[in-house]
């Protein structure tokens, strides 16, 4: 049973399709209700959906309750929902924008794990079966991100939550890791590039300049890392930040 937030985004939809194809039961969530329920309908009978804002702690509780009521357990949680602010110097970022990014990207993961961890630990104590949480952070959670300072701060917070919770739950049957991709070919990046109009190629070149491979990640490449962290075969991997970044953090 897989719980996945941000299910209609670039990474979210690809992950939902992967897990559905692998035979998992899915609990999907997103703010975009129409697209969410269309995806759930397409994926079929072992999929349920609840739209809502991850910045609301009640949504985190309701999603876990839905997993238990529909499927009786929760094995994997992918806390993927996130937003980004426009690129601008720190002093120019409006306070309300900063608060919204922190509330979704950081507090949303905090609320999610508060709801998920007790249920996963309880199942482990009853059955000996472990669970996994994958928090989708960013390479901006492990290095500085000029012009994206609040986004970077939120993602650094996700990494801190991940590492701390992983230590707390290392002997309680829950593995917790953070996936840290660089820019990938998702709407979050392509929408920004589209705004460049005739200068799109130059904008993309600038976006990938710090990446040794000099290209955007493809969604499937990032999902491969997500699957590795979620896979029960990765049973000795916890508290890690897995960088899918074309070598950006190698230096």
């Amino acid at each position: 049973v897989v719980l996945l937030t941000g299910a209609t985004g670039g990474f979210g939809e690809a992950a939902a399709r992967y897990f559905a194809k692998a035979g998992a039961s899915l609990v999907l969530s997103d703010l975009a209700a129409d697209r969410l329920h269309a995806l759930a309908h397409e994926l079929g009978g072992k999929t349920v959906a609840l739209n809502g804002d991850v910045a609301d702690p009640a949504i985190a509780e309701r999603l876990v309750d839905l997993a238990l009521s529909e499927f009786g357990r929760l094995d994997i949680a992918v806390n993927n929902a996130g937003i980004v602010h426009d690129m601008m110097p720190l002093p120019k970022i409006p306070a309300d924008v900063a608060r919204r990014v922190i509330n979704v990207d950081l507090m949303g993961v905090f609320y999610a794990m508060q709801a998920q961890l007790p249920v996963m630990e309880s199942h482990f104590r009853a059955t000996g079966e472990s669970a996994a949480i994958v928090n989708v952070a960013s390479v901006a959670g492990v290095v500085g991100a000029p012009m994206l300072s609040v986004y970077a701060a939120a993602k650094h917070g996700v990494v801190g939550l991940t590492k701390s919770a992983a230590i707390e739950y290392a002997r309680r049957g829950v593995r917790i890791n953070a996936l840290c991709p660089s820019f990938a070919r998702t709407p979050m990046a392509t929408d920004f590039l589209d705004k460049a109009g005739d200068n799109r190629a130059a904008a993309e070149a600038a976006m990938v300049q710090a990446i040794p491979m000099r290209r955007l990640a493809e969604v499937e490449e990032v999902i491969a890392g997500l699957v590795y962290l979620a896979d029960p075969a990765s049973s000795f991997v916890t508290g890690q930040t897995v960088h899918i970044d074309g070598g950006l953090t190698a230096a």
Side-chain angles (χ1 to χ4, degrees):
V1 178
V2 179
L3 189 163
L4 171 66
T5 65
T8 71
F11 296 146
E13 182 175 343
R17 293 185 184 281
Y18 174 89
F19 285 120
K21 187 175 181 181
S25 300
L26 297 177
V27 179
L28 305 181
S29 184
D30 202 283
L31 197 57
D34 291 345
R35 286 191 294 161
L36 173 68
H37 291 291
L39 176 63
H41 178 76
E42 180 185 347
L43 294 179
K46 293 173 66 177
T47 302
V48 294
L50 174 68
N51 68 287
D53 187 346
V54 295
D56 178 0
I59 290 297
E61 295 285 352
R62 290 176 63 193
L63 285 168
V64 171
D65 289 346
L66 187 59
L68 296 179
S69 64
E70 291 290 328
F71 305 117
R73 57 192 293 159
L74 177 60
D75 302 300
I76 296 168
V78 181
N79 298 317
N80 168 67
I83 59 174
V84 66
H85 57 81
D86 291 339
M87 297 183 75
M88 65 183 75
L90 186 151
K92 294 187 179 298
I93 300 173
D96 60 335
V97 171
R99 280 192 293 269
R100 179 61 179 161
V101 171
I102 294 293
N103 284 339
V104 172
D105 291 6
L106 176 56
M107 297 306 296
V109 173
F110 171 72
Y111 297 140
M113 289 202 293
Q114 277 197 316
Q116 295 156 4
L117 285 166
V119 168
M120 290 175 161
E121 180 184 8
S122 177
H123 184 75
F124 172 72
R125 293 192 182 282
T127 68
E129 297 173 345
S130 61
I133 294 175
V134 181
N135 295 322
V136 178
S138 168
V139 73
V142 293
V143 298
M147 311 296 280
L148 289 173
S149 57
V150 175
Y151 176 77
K155 294 300 187 178
H156 271 75
V158 170
V159 168
L161 284 178
T162 298
K163 289 178 175 288
S164 301
I167 296 170
E168 291 180 22
Y169 281 81
R171 287 177 289 179
R172 299 181 185 181
V174 189
R175 296 186 304 105
I176 309 161
N177 293 285
L179 185 71
C180 297
S182 59
F183 288 118
R185 207 171 295 281
T186 67
M188 189 176 284
T190 57
D191 288 352
F192 170 79
L193 293 173
D194 289 343
K195 293 177 183 177
D198 293 340
N199 297 318
R200 192 182 196 283
E204 183 166 340
M207 183 179 283
V208 303
Q209 185 174 3
I211 299 173
M213 286 189 173
R214 292 294 194 277
R215 65 175 178 86
L216 297 173
E218 299 300 330
V219 171
E220 293 75 15
E221 294 173 312
V222 176
I223 296 305
L226 189 158
V227 170
Y228 165 74
L229 293 175
D231 194 332
S234 301
S235 53
F236 204 54
V237 179
T238 196
Q240 301 304 305
T241 56
V242 173
H243 307 171
I244 311 294
D245 66 2
L248 189 152
T249 55

mmCIF file of all heavy atoms in Angstrom, residues 21-72:
data_model
loop_
_atom_site.group_PDB
_atom_site.id
_atom_site.type_symbol
_atom_site.label_atom_id
_atom_site.label_comp_id
_atom_site.label_asym_id
_atom_site.label_seq_id
_atom_site.Cartn_x
_atom_site.Cartn_y
_atom_site.Cartn_z
ATOM 1 N N LYS A 21 1.518 -0.110 -11.840
ATOM 2 C CA LYS A 21 1.951 -1.185 -12.732
ATOM 3 C C LYS A 21 2.595 -2.324 -11.957
ATOM 4 O O LYS A 21 2.484 -3.494 -12.323
ATOM 5 C CB LYS A 21 2.927 -0.635 -13.773
ATOM 6 C CG LYS A 21 3.313 -1.625 -14.863
ATOM 7 C CD LYS A 21 4.179 -0.968 -15.923
ATOM 8 C CE LYS A 21 4.544 -1.953 -17.022
ATOM 9 N NZ LYS A 21 5.407 -1.321 -18.061
ATOM 10 N N ALA A 22 3.255 -1.978 -10.840
ATOM 11 C CA ALA A 22 3.901 -2.992 -10.010
ATOM 12 C C ALA A 22 2.909 -3.745 -9.125
ATOM 13 O O ALA A 22 3.285 -4.674 -8.409
ATOM 14 C CB ALA A 22 4.975 -2.335 -9.142
ATOM 15 N N GLY A 23 1.641 -3.320 -9.143
ATOM 16 C CA GLY A 23 0.604 -4.041 -8.414
ATOM 17 C C GLY A 23 0.266 -3.487 -7.049
ATOM 18 O O GLY A 23 -0.454 -4.132 -6.274
ATOM 19 N N ALA A 24 0.752 -2.294 -6.735
ATOM 20 C CA ALA A 24 0.476 -1.708 -5.422
ATOM 21 C C ALA A 24 -0.946 -1.159 -5.345
ATOM 22 O O ALA A 24 -1.538 -0.779 -6.357
ATOM 23 C CB ALA A 24 1.466 -0.586 -5.132
ATOM 24 N N SER A 25 -1.463 -1.117 -4.131
ATOM 25 C CA SER A 25 -2.674 -0.355 -3.850
ATOM 26 C C SER A 25 -2.237 1.073 -3.562
ATOM 27 O O SER A 25 -1.244 1.290 -2.857
ATOM 28 C CB SER A 25 -3.415 -0.934 -2.651
ATOM 29 O OG SER A 25 -3.786 -2.278 -2.898
ATOM 30 N N LEU A 26 -2.974 2.050 -4.080
ATOM 31 C CA LEU A 26 -2.529 3.432 -4.021
ATOM 32 C C LEU A 26 -3.524 4.334 -3.294
ATOM 33 O O LEU A 26 -4.734 4.242 -3.504
ATOM 34 C CB LEU A 26 -2.330 3.988 -5.435
ATOM 35 C CG LEU A 26 -1.259 3.326 -6.301
ATOM 36 C CD1 LEU A 26 -1.258 3.964 -7.688
ATOM 37 C CD2 LEU A 26 0.108 3.464 -5.668
ATOM 38 N N VAL A 27 -2.976 5.213 -2.471
ATOM 39 C CA VAL A 27 -3.728 6.320 -1.880
ATOM 40 C C VAL A 27 -3.077 7.588 -2.407
ATOM 41 O O VAL A 27 -1.942 7.909 -2.042
ATOM 42 C CB VAL A 27 -3.686 6.291 -0.345
ATOM 43 C CG1 VAL A 27 -4.451 7.476 0.229
ATOM 44 C CG2 VAL A 27 -4.241 4.975 0.181
ATOM 45 N N LEU A 28 -3.771 8.289 -3.285
ATOM 46 C CA LEU A 28 -3.208 9.440 -3.974
ATOM 47 C C LEU A 28 -3.806 10.735 -3.451
ATOM 48 O O LEU A 28 -4.984 10.791 -3.097
ATOM 49 C CB LEU A 28 -3.472 9.348 -5.482
ATOM 50 C CG LEU A 28 -2.997 8.091 -6.194
ATOM 51 C CD1 LEU A 28 -3.312 8.185 -7.687
ATOM 52 C CD2 LEU A 28 -1.509 7.849 -5.978
ATOM 53 N N SER A 29 -2.978 11.784 -3.452
ATOM 54 C CA SER A 29 -3.467 13.095 -3.039
ATOM 55 C C SER A 29 -2.828 14.182 -3.878
ATOM 56 O O SER A 29 -1.695 14.040 -4.356
ATOM 57 C CB SER A 29 -3.155 13.345 -1.557
ATOM 58 O OG SER A 29 -3.701 14.572 -1.136
ATOM 59 N N ASP A 30 -3.569 15.265 -4.068
ATOM 60 C CA ASP A 30 -3.070 16.435 -4.778
ATOM 61 C C ASP A 30 -4.048 17.573 -4.528
ATOM 62 O O ASP A 30 -5.197 17.351 -4.150
ATOM 63 C CB ASP A 30 -2.939 16.155 -6.280
ATOM 64 C CG ASP A 30 -1.970 17.101 -6.963
ATOM 65 O OD1 ASP A 30 -2.355 18.262 -7.217
ATOM 66 O OD2 ASP A 30 -0.825 16.694 -7.225
ATOM 67 N N LEU A 31 -3.593 18.779 -4.783
ATOM 68 C CA LEU A 31 -4.466 19.941 -4.657
ATOM 69 C C LEU A 31 -5.407 20.068 -5.850
ATOM 70 O O LEU A 31 -6.512 20.591 -5.733
ATOM 71 C CB LEU A 31 -3.607 21.202 -4.526
ATOM 72 C CG LEU A 31 -4.270 22.472 -3.993
ATOM 73 C CD1 LEU A 31 -4.889 22.238 -2.618
ATOM 74 C CD2 LEU A 31 -3.236 23.596 -3.915
ATOM 75 N N ALA A 32 -4.962 19.547 -7.017
ATOM 76 C CA ALA A 32 -5.744 19.644 -8.257
ATOM 77 C C ALA A 32 -6.752 18.504 -8.313
ATOM 78 O O ALA A 32 -6.444 17.400 -8.767
ATOM 79 C CB ALA A 32 -4.806 19.599 -9.461
ATOM 80 N N ALA A 33 -7.974 18.770 -7.853
ATOM 81 C CA ALA A 33 -8.963 17.711 -7.666
ATOM 82 C C ALA A 33 -9.328 17.004 -8.962
ATOM 83 O O ALA A 33 -9.378 15.766 -9.015
ATOM 84 C CB ALA A 33 -10.220 18.285 -7.015
ATOM 85 N N ASP A 34 -9.605 17.753 -10.032
ATOM 86 C CA ASP A 34 -10.059 17.128 -11.275
ATOM 87 C C ASP A 34 -9.003 16.201 -11.851
ATOM 88 O O ASP A 34 -9.290 15.054 -12.235
ATOM 89 C CB ASP A 34 -10.438 18.209 -12.302
ATOM 90 C CG ASP A 34 -11.700 18.968 -11.908
ATOM 91 O OD1 ASP A 34 -12.428 18.485 -11.011
ATOM 92 O OD2 ASP A 34 -11.946 20.037 -12.496
ATOM 93 N N ARG A 35 -7.776 16.691 -11.921
ATOM 94 C CA ARG A 35 -6.698 15.862 -12.472
ATOM 95 C C ARG A 35 -6.421 14.661 -11.580
ATOM 96 O O ARG A 35 -6.118 13.560 -12.065
ATOM 97 C CB ARG A 35 -5.427 16.691 -12.651
ATOM 98 C CG ARG A 35 -5.500 17.666 -13.829
ATOM 99 C CD ARG A 35 -4.143 18.271 -14.123
ATOM 100 N NE ARG A 35 -3.679 19.124 -13.032
ATOM 101 C CZ ARG A 35 -2.417 19.485 -12.835
ATOM 102 N NH1 ARG A 35 -1.477 19.033 -13.649
ATOM 103 N NH2 ARG A 35 -2.086 20.284 -11.845
ATOM 104 N N LEU A 36 -6.513 14.859 -10.266
ATOM 105 C CA LEU A 36 -6.275 13.758 -9.334
ATOM 106 C C LEU A 36 -7.281 12.640 -9.537
ATOM 107 O O LEU A 36 -6.905 11.462 -9.659
ATOM 108 C CB LEU A 36 -6.345 14.279 -7.901
ATOM 109 C CG LEU A 36 -6.282 13.216 -6.807
ATOM 110 C CD1 LEU A 36 -4.911 12.557 -6.770
ATOM 111 C CD2 LEU A 36 -6.622 13.831 -5.447
ATOM 112 N N HIS A 37 -8.553 12.986 -9.575
ATOM 113 C CA HIS A 37 -9.571 11.947 -9.682
ATOM 114 C C HIS A 37 -9.571 11.306 -11.072
ATOM 115 O O HIS A 37 -9.891 10.119 -11.200
ATOM 116 C CB HIS A 37 -10.934 12.518 -9.307
ATOM 117 C CG HIS A 37 -11.034 12.859 -7.846
ATOM 118 N ND1 HIS A 37 -11.055 11.897 -6.865
ATOM 119 C CD2 HIS A 37 -11.071 14.056 -7.194
ATOM 120 C CE1 HIS A 37 -11.132 12.475 -5.681
ATOM 121 N NE2 HIS A 37 -11.128 13.780 -5.850
ATOM 122 N N ALA A 38 -9.187 12.054 -12.088
ATOM 123 C CA ALA A 38 -9.038 11.459 -13.422
ATOM 124 C C ALA A 38 -7.920 10.430 -13.426
ATOM 125 O O ALA A 38 -8.052 9.344 -14.010
ATOM 126 C CB ALA A 38 -8.769 12.554 -14.459
ATOM 127 N N LEU A 39 -6.810 10.752 -12.772
ATOM 128 C CA LEU A 39 -5.696 9.806 -12.693
ATOM 129 C C LEU A 39 -6.089 8.572 -11.902
ATOM 130 O O LEU A 39 -5.804 7.435 -12.316
ATOM 131 C CB LEU A 39 -4.484 10.487 -12.052
ATOM 132 C CG LEU A 39 -3.251 9.604 -11.809
ATOM 133 C CD1 LEU A 39 -2.693 9.079 -13.129
ATOM 134 C CD2 LEU A 39 -2.183 10.376 -11.036
ATOM 135 N N ALA A 40 -6.765 8.762 -10.779
ATOM 136 C CA ALA A 40 -7.186 7.629 -9.960
ATOM 137 C C ALA A 40 -8.125 6.719 -10.740
ATOM 138 O O ALA A 40 -8.016 5.480 -10.675
ATOM 139 C CB ALA A 40 -7.856 8.120 -8.681
ATOM 140 N N HIS A 41 -9.048 7.323 -11.494
ATOM 141 C CA HIS A 41 -9.972 6.530 -12.320
ATOM 142 C C HIS A 41 -9.208 5.746 -13.378
ATOM 143 O O HIS A 41 -9.502 4.558 -13.625
ATOM 144 C CB HIS A 41 -11.004 7.450 -12.958
ATOM 145 C CG HIS A 41 -11.966 6.743 -13.860
ATOM 146 N ND1 HIS A 41 -13.005 5.969 -13.383
ATOM 147 C CD2 HIS A 41 -12.029 6.676 -15.234
ATOM 148 C CE1 HIS A 41 -13.676 5.456 -14.406
ATOM 149 N NE2 HIS A 41 -13.109 5.866 -15.526
ATOM 150 N N GLU A 42 -8.229 6.378 -13.995
ATOM 151 C CA GLU A 42 -7.453 5.710 -15.040
ATOM 152 C C GLU A 42 -6.659 4.532 -14.485
ATOM 153 O O GLU A 42 -6.550 3.483 -15.132
ATOM 154 C CB GLU A 42 -6.500 6.714 -15.689
ATOM 155 C CG GLU A 42 -5.637 6.117 -16.788
ATOM 156 C CD GLU A 42 -4.624 7.097 -17.331
ATOM 157 O OE1 GLU A 42 -4.727 8.308 -17.046
ATOM 158 O OE2 GLU A 42 -3.698 6.643 -18.030
ATOM 159 N N LEU A 43 -6.110 4.697 -13.272
ATOM 160 C CA LEU A 43 -5.260 3.648 -12.715
ATOM 161 C C LEU A 43 -6.057 2.462 -12.194
ATOM 162 O O LEU A 43 -5.515 1.374 -12.040
ATOM 163 C CB LEU A 43 -4.376 4.221 -11.605
ATOM 164 C CG LEU A 43 -3.335 5.239 -12.061
ATOM 165 C CD1 LEU A 43 -2.538 5.748 -10.876
ATOM 166 C CD2 LEU A 43 -2.406 4.662 -13.121
ATOM 167 N N GLY A 44 -7.320 2.677 -11.871
ATOM 168 C CA GLY A 44 -8.168 1.531 -11.605
ATOM 169 C C GLY A 44 -8.532 1.266 -10.168
ATOM 170 O O GLY A 44 -8.312 2.081 -9.270
ATOM 171 N N GLY A 45 -9.088 0.071 -9.926
ATOM 172 C CA GLY A 45 -9.806 -0.270 -8.716
ATOM 173 C C GLY A 45 -9.006 -0.315 -7.440
ATOM 174 O O GLY A 45 -9.575 -0.229 -6.357
ATOM 175 N N LYS A 46 -7.676 -0.462 -7.510
ATOM 176 C CA LYS A 46 -6.868 -0.500 -6.287
ATOM 177 C C LYS A 46 -6.323 0.878 -5.945
ATOM 178 O O LYS A 46 -5.346 1.014 -5.213
ATOM 179 C CB LYS A 46 -5.728 -1.496 -6.462
ATOM 180 C CG LYS A 46 -6.186 -2.941 -6.569
ATOM 181 C CD LYS A 46 -5.043 -3.877 -6.913
ATOM 182 C CE LYS A 46 -4.031 -3.952 -5.800
ATOM 183 N NZ LYS A 46 -2.944 -4.925 -6.110
ATOM 184 N N THR A 47 -6.991 1.918 -6.459
ATOM 185 C CA THR A 47 -6.543 3.289 -6.241
ATOM 186 C C THR A 47 -7.671 4.115 -5.645
ATOM 187 O O THR A 47 -8.796 4.092 -6.138
ATOM 188 C CB THR A 47 -6.102 3.934 -7.571
ATOM 189 O OG1 THR A 47 -5.067 3.147 -8.152
ATOM 190 C CG2 THR A 47 -5.583 5.339 -7.351
ATOM 191 N N VAL A 48 -7.362 4.842 -4.562
ATOM 192 C CA VAL A 48 -8.297 5.789 -3.988
ATOM 193 C C VAL A 48 -7.613 7.153 -3.932
ATOM 194 O O VAL A 48 -6.385 7.246 -3.944
ATOM 195 C CB VAL A 48 -8.775 5.365 -2.586
ATOM 196 C CG1 VAL A 48 -9.597 4.090 -2.666
ATOM 197 C CG2 VAL A 48 -7.601 5.192 -1.627
ATOM 198 N N ALA A 49 -8.406 8.204 -3.900
ATOM 199 C CA ALA A 49 -7.841 9.551 -3.968
ATOM 200 C C ALA A 49 -8.554 10.483 -3.007
ATOM 201 O O ALA A 49 -9.754 10.351 -2.747
ATOM 202 C CB ALA A 49 -7.949 10.094 -5.389
ATOM 203 N N LEU A 50 -7.801 11.437 -2.489
ATOM 204 C CA LEU A 50 -8.332 12.481 -1.629
ATOM 205 C C LEU A 50 -7.599 13.772 -1.963
ATOM 206 O O LEU A 50 -6.389 13.854 -1.768
ATOM 207 C CB LEU A 50 -8.119 12.127 -0.150
ATOM 208 C CG LEU A 50 -8.507 13.211 0.863
ATOM 209 C CD1 LEU A 50 -10.020 13.406 0.870
ATOM 210 C CD2 LEU A 50 -8.003 12.852 2.255
ATOM 211 N N ASN A 51 -8.330 14.735 -2.499
ATOM 212 C CA ASN A 51 -7.666 15.999 -2.812
ATOM 213 C C ASN A 51 -7.596 16.870 -1.566
ATOM 214 O O ASN A 51 -8.447 16.783 -0.674
ATOM 215 C CB ASN A 51 -8.368 16.734 -3.950
ATOM 216 C CG ASN A 51 -9.728 17.240 -3.565
ATOM 217 O OD1 ASN A 51 -10.669 16.460 -3.420
ATOM 218 N ND2 ASN A 51 -9.845 18.549 -3.393
ATOM 219 N N GLY A 52 -6.569 17.688 -1.494
ATOM 220 C CA GLY A 52 -6.409 18.572 -0.352
ATOM 221 C C GLY A 52 -5.034 19.200 -0.343
ATOM 222 O O GLY A 52 -4.170 18.879 -1.163
ATOM 223 N N ASP A 53 -4.840 20.091 0.608
ATOM 224 C CA ASP A 53 -3.621 20.876 0.745
ATOM 225 C C ASP A 53 -2.755 20.249 1.827
ATOM 226 O O ASP A 53 -3.163 20.150 2.987
ATOM 227 C CB ASP A 53 -4.001 22.309 1.132
ATOM 228 C CG ASP A 53 -2.834 23.262 1.151
ATOM 229 O OD1 ASP A 53 -1.674 22.804 1.122
ATOM 230 O OD2 ASP A 53 -3.070 24.485 1.205
ATOM 231 N N VAL A 54 -1.530 19.841 1.468
ATOM 232 C CA VAL A 54 -0.664 19.183 2.446
ATOM 233 C C VAL A 54 -0.252 20.130 3.578
ATOM 234 O O VAL A 54 0.255 19.673 4.610
ATOM 235 C CB VAL A 54 0.590 18.582 1.782
ATOM 236 C CG1 VAL A 54 0.217 17.468 0.821
ATOM 237 C CG2 VAL A 54 1.435 19.653 1.113
ATOM 238 N N ALA A 55 -0.450 21.433 3.392
ATOM 239 C CA ALA A 55 -0.169 22.383 4.464
ATOM 240 C C ALA A 55 -1.212 22.327 5.576
ATOM 241 O O ALA A 55 -1.041 22.969 6.614
ATOM 242 C CB ALA A 55 -0.085 23.801 3.906
ATOM 243 N N ASP A 56 -2.261 21.558 5.363
ATOM 244 C CA ASP A 56 -3.302 21.339 6.365
ATOM 245 C C ASP A 56 -3.026 20.007 7.060
ATOM 246 O O ASP A 56 -3.116 18.952 6.427
ATOM 247 C CB ASP A 56 -4.672 21.315 5.687
ATOM 248 C CG ASP A 56 -5.814 21.031 6.649
ATOM 249 O OD1 ASP A 56 -5.569 20.847 7.858
ATOM 250 O OD2 ASP A 56 -6.967 20.971 6.180
ATOM 251 N N PRO A 57 -2.692 20.005 8.350
ATOM 252 C CA PRO A 57 -2.374 18.733 9.018
ATOM 253 C C PRO A 57 -3.518 17.732 9.000
ATOM 254 O O PRO A 57 -3.287 16.521 9.070
ATOM 255 C CB PRO A 57 -2.014 19.155 10.444
ATOM 256 C CG PRO A 57 -2.557 20.529 10.616
ATOM 257 C CD PRO A 57 -2.549 21.156 9.257
ATOM 258 N N ALA A 58 -4.750 18.213 8.878
ATOM 259 C CA ALA A 58 -5.882 17.291 8.838
ATOM 260 C C ALA A 58 -5.841 16.400 7.601
ATOM 261 O O ALA A 58 -6.304 15.251 7.641
ATOM 262 C CB ALA A 58 -7.198 18.076 8.882
ATOM 263 N N ILE A 59 -5.292 16.916 6.503
ATOM 264 C CA ILE A 59 -5.193 16.108 5.282
ATOM 265 C C ILE A 59 -4.249 14.932 5.502
ATOM 266 O O ILE A 59 -4.515 13.809 5.052
ATOM 267 C CB ILE A 59 -4.732 16.976 4.096
ATOM 268 C CG1 ILE A 59 -5.836 17.953 3.686
ATOM 269 C CG2 ILE A 59 -4.328 16.115 2.898
ATOM 270 C CD1 ILE A 59 -7.107 17.288 3.175
ATOM 271 N N ALA A 60 -3.143 15.165 6.187
ATOM 272 C CA ALA A 60 -2.199 14.078 6.464
ATOM 273 C C ALA A 60 -2.880 12.966 7.251
ATOM 274 O O ALA A 60 -2.702 11.772 6.947
ATOM 275 C CB ALA A 60 -0.992 14.619 7.223
ATOM 276 N N GLU A 61 -3.660 13.342 8.258
ATOM 277 C CA GLU A 61 -4.378 12.347 9.059
ATOM 278 C C GLU A 61 -5.414 11.609 8.217
ATOM 279 O O GLU A 61 -5.555 10.380 8.321
ATOM 280 C CB GLU A 61 -5.053 13.029 10.247
ATOM 281 C CG GLU A 61 -4.101 13.643 11.253
ATOM 282 C CD GLU A 61 -3.418 12.615 12.129
ATOM 283 O OE1 GLU A 61 -3.798 11.423 12.055
ATOM 284 O OE2 GLU A 61 -2.506 13.002 12.886
ATOM 285 N N ARG A 62 -6.127 12.351 7.388
ATOM 286 C CA ARG A 62 -7.189 11.732 6.587
ATOM 287 C C ARG A 62 -6.611 10.755 5.561
ATOM 288 O O ARG A 62 -7.216 9.710 5.267
ATOM 289 C CB ARG A 62 -8.022 12.803 5.889
ATOM 290 C CG ARG A 62 -8.904 13.623 6.839
ATOM 291 C CD ARG A 62 -9.630 14.732 6.105
ATOM 292 N NE ARG A 62 -10.545 14.210 5.095
ATOM 293 C CZ ARG A 62 -11.123 14.941 4.152
ATOM 294 N NH1 ARG A 62 -10.866 16.254 4.092
ATOM 295 N NH2 ARG A 62 -11.954 14.399 3.289
ATOM 296 N N LEU A 63 -5.446 11.069 5.021
ATOM 297 C CA LEU A 63 -4.828 10.168 4.050
ATOM 298 C C LEU A 63 -4.416 8.850 4.699
ATOM 299 O O LEU A 63 -4.618 7.765 4.134
ATOM 300 C CB LEU A 63 -3.620 10.843 3.393
ATOM 301 C CG LEU A 63 -3.951 11.912 2.368
ATOM 302 C CD1 LEU A 63 -2.709 12.717 2.007
ATOM 303 C CD2 LEU A 63 -4.564 11.294 1.111
ATOM 304 N N VAL A 64 -3.830 8.933 5.877
ATOM 305 C CA VAL A 64 -3.459 7.709 6.582
ATOM 306 C C VAL A 64 -4.705 6.911 6.963
ATOM 307 O O VAL A 64 -4.752 5.682 6.806
ATOM 308 C CB VAL A 64 -2.603 8.040 7.812
ATOM 309 C CG1 VAL A 64 -2.395 6.791 8.681
ATOM 310 C CG2 VAL A 64 -1.252 8.606 7.377
ATOM 311 N N ASP A 65 -5.728 7.590 7.443
ATOM 312 C CA ASP A 65 -6.984 6.910 7.778
ATOM 313 C C ASP A 65 -7.574 6.221 6.545
ATOM 314 O O ASP A 65 -8.125 5.118 6.647
ATOM 315 C CB ASP A 65 -7.995 7.906 8.335
ATOM 316 C CG ASP A 65 -7.634 8.395 9.732
ATOM 317 O OD1 ASP A 65 -6.769 7.779 10.379
ATOM 318 O OD2 ASP A 65 -8.219 9.418 10.169
ATOM 319 N N LEU A 66 -7.452 6.876 5.384
ATOM 320 C CA LEU A 66 -7.973 6.295 4.145
ATOM 321 C C LEU A 66 -7.212 5.030 3.772
ATOM 322 O O LEU A 66 -7.812 4.031 3.358
ATOM 323 C CB LEU A 66 -7.883 7.328 3.015
ATOM 324 C CG LEU A 66 -8.523 6.962 1.682
ATOM 325 C CD1 LEU A 66 -10.011 6.675 1.837
ATOM 326 C CD2 LEU A 66 -8.299 8.084 0.662
ATOM 327 N N ALA A 67 -5.888 5.053 3.930
ATOM 328 C CA ALA A 67 -5.091 3.859 3.650
ATOM 329 C C ALA A 67 -5.526 2.701 4.547
ATOM 330 O O ALA A 67 -5.676 1.554 4.088
ATOM 331 C CB ALA A 67 -3.605 4.159 3.852
ATOM 332 N N LEU A 68 -5.755 2.996 5.815
ATOM 333 C CA LEU A 68 -6.136 1.941 6.755
ATOM 334 C C LEU A 68 -7.547 1.439 6.494
ATOM 335 O O LEU A 68 -7.802 0.223 6.534
ATOM 336 C CB LEU A 68 -6.008 2.452 8.189
ATOM 337 C CG LEU A 68 -4.601 2.829 8.644
ATOM 338 C CD1 LEU A 68 -4.632 3.331 10.079
ATOM 339 C CD2 LEU A 68 -3.640 1.666 8.498
ATOM 340 N N SER A 69 -8.471 2.345 6.216
ATOM 341 C CA SER A 69 -9.859 1.926 6.021
ATOM 342 C C SER A 69 -10.034 1.160 4.714
ATOM 343 O O SER A 69 -10.842 0.228 4.636
ATOM 344 C CB SER A 69 -10.794 3.133 6.056
ATOM 345 O OG SER A 69 -10.523 4.018 4.985
ATOM 346 N N GLU A 70 -9.297 1.539 3.677
ATOM 347 C CA GLU A 70 -9.458 0.893 2.376
ATOM 348 C C GLU A 70 -8.595 -0.357 2.224
ATOM 349 O O GLU A 70 -9.020 -1.338 1.602
ATOM 350 C CB GLU A 70 -9.102 1.880 1.264
ATOM 351 C CG GLU A 70 -10.074 3.030 1.105
ATOM 352 C CD GLU A 70 -11.421 2.581 0.550
ATOM 353 O OE1 GLU A 70 -11.449 1.611 -0.239
ATOM 354 O OE2 GLU A 70 -12.437 3.201 0.903
ATOM 355 N N PHE A 71 -7.386 -0.329 2.793
ATOM 356 C CA PHE A 71 -6.424 -1.400 2.517
ATOM 357 C C PHE A 71 -5.837 -2.051 3.769
ATOM 358 O O PHE A 71 -5.117 -3.034 3.661
ATOM 359 C CB PHE A 71 -5.287 -0.867 1.645
ATOM 360 C CG PHE A 71 -5.760 -0.224 0.362
ATOM 361 C CD1 PHE A 71 -5.526 1.114 0.111
ATOM 362 C CD2 PHE A 71 -6.457 -0.956 -0.593
ATOM 363 C CE1 PHE A 71 -5.950 1.719 -1.061
ATOM 364 C CE2 PHE A 71 -6.910 -0.371 -1.765
ATOM 365 C CZ PHE A 71 -6.653 0.980 -2.005
ATOM 366 N N GLY A 72 -6.104 -1.485 4.932
ATOM 367 C CA GLY A 72 -5.708 -2.133 6.172
ATOM 368 C C GLY A 72 -4.284 -1.926 6.624
ATOM 369 O O GLY A 72 -3.891 -2.449 7.667
#
